[in-house]
Amino acid sequence: IDNIARRIVRLKQAETRPALLATERPPTLESLSPAAQEFFAVLAQLAQNKTLLAPEGLEIAGGHLPAMLALTDDDMRGIQGQRFFPFVVLISRLAAIAKHQDYVLQHFDEIAHWRIKLTWTVTLFAANRKPPAVLEYIKSAAQIPAREAMLRKLFGDKYDSIMNSILNPTTR
């Protein structure tokens, strides 16, 4: 989250001092979708206040779930690998709250970015919220190497047994 906050500050500074960033022209905040502008601004503020993972921060971040779920590939460009880890932490904390689980399940098909959708999928599965859409997304994700690798990381050493239980539901 701190990386996201720093990125937003750098983007704002780049509008007046472009030399702060690499030689390629950086995207401006205005080039991001309205959802990304909203969500990243909230994350930056909560990170700056050091309240993001506190109950009051999670309540505020949870109020912006529609914006998180609407983040696109373009919005998330540059937030990969280790830089995505704060999203994993935030989603896992939000997923511990039933009303957020309910909201995500109601809007599951609307989640735009595959990493966000996959992280929500795994956290919902871990919370024993396993409707057909979640199970189908896990199955389809396991067929794509990058997504299968992320599933392995998120499920850890339980990956094989979880996949077996999903692919062969009648066996125990």
Side-chain angles (χ1 to χ4, degrees):
I1 301 302
D2 288 335
N3 285 340
I4 294 168
R6 282 193 293 271
R7 179 176 180 227
I8 289 172
V9 168
R10 289 179 65 199
L11 287 170
K12 286 180 181 176
Q13 291 172 339
E15 292 173 3
T16 56
R17 300 185 326 207
L20 287 174
L21 298 176
T23 55
E24 65 185 63
R25 182 80 178 140
T28 62
L29 285 176
E30 290 76 28
S31 70
L32 298 175
S33 71
Q37 291 178 34
E38 172 191 339
F39 189 68
F40 290 145
V42 168
L43 288 186
Q45 183 64 43
L46 293 172
Q48 183 178 12
N49 295 343
K50 300 186 185 323
T51 58
L52 180 59
L53 299 178
E56 63 273 14
L58 290 173
E59 187 63 31
I60 292 169
H64 293 275
L65 269 176
M68 175 197 272
L69 302 185
L71 294 175
T72 66
D73 288 341
D74 286 341
D75 296 330
M76 296 296 288
R77 190 175 319 134
I79 301 176
Q80 299 181 15
Q82 292 291 52
R83 296 183 76 200
F84 188 75
F85 184 72
F87 281 90
V88 173
V89 173
L90 177 60
I91 290 169
S92 68
R93 298 280 176 88
L94 288 170
I97 302 168
K99 70 179 180 179
H100 299 320
Q101 291 176 14
D102 293 341
Y103 182 85
V104 170
L105 285 170
Q106 289 170 355
H107 300 276
F108 188 75
D109 292 335
E110 300 165 25
I111 303 174
H113 192 271
W114 72 268
R115 287 177 192 244
I116 292 172
K117 188 168 189 169
L118 195 58
T119 305
W120 271 106
T121 300
V122 170
T123 56
L124 290 167
F125 185 91
N128 213 22
R129 302 290 298 267
K130 304 172 188 175
V134 167
L135 298 176
E136 286 304 315
Y137 193 73
I138 291 172
K139 286 181 198 177
S140 67
Q143 304 303 310
I144 302 168
R147 295 176 190 193
E148 192 259 349
M150 188 170 170
L151 274 174
R152 284 187 179 278
K153 287 179 185 176
L154 292 171
F155 280 132
D157 58 358
K158 296 179 181 179
Y159 175 82
D160 290 329
S161 64
I162 289 171
M163 289 308 295
N164 187 44
S165 72
I166 292 170
L167 297 173
N168 304 304
T170 57
T171 61
R172 293 249 173 200

